[in-house]
Amino acid sequence: MTWVFIITFALLCLAALLVLVRLLRGRSTLDRIVAVDVFVTLVVAATCVGMGWQKNGENIALLAAFALLGFIGSVVAARLVEKKESYR
């Protein structure tokens, strides 16, 4: 079962690297906002995989709060960008 956690964690790290590339090379502000939201989701997923590997579920409330904070931040940033930029 350990190899499942290792493979999952490696794939999440690869996805995080690709998201960071998208964050740095994004063409518009909305691309960067989506990249930050996906990165927050990947951090939460990687932390969940780590908790499953260690069989320790003490940080579930903290992860839920972090995911909610990331979601609210993305929604607020998208609303601000929507008001500033015109539609293409």
Side-chain angles (χ1 to χ4, degrees):
M1 193 65 153
T2 303
W3 57 274
V4 173
F5 289 116
I6 292 172
I7 291 172
T8 305
F9 192 69
L11 289 174
L12 286 172
C13 288
L14 178 67
L17 284 174
L18 293 173
V19 166
L20 284 176
V21 168
R22 186 63 181 171
L23 178 66
L24 295 174
R25 298 186 64 171
R27 295 183 184 184
S28 69
T29 307
L30 286 177
D31 286 340
R32 292 187 175 112
I33 291 171
V34 170
V36 169
D37 188 39
V38 171
F39 187 74
V40 168
T41 304
L42 288 173
V43 167
V44 169
T47 307
C48 288
V49 169
M51 287 185 344
W53 190 358
Q54 295 174 354
K55 296 179 182 170
N56 182 7
E58 295 176 354
N59 294 329
I60 291 177
L62 180 66
L63 286 176
F66 188 63
L68 183 64
L69 184 66
F71 173 74
I72 291 173
S74 296
V75 169
V76 168
R79 292 243 177 191
L80 288 175
V81 169
E82 180 183 353
K83 289 181 182 178
K84 277 188 171 180
E85 292 182 359
S86 61
Y87 290 104
R88 297 180 185 174

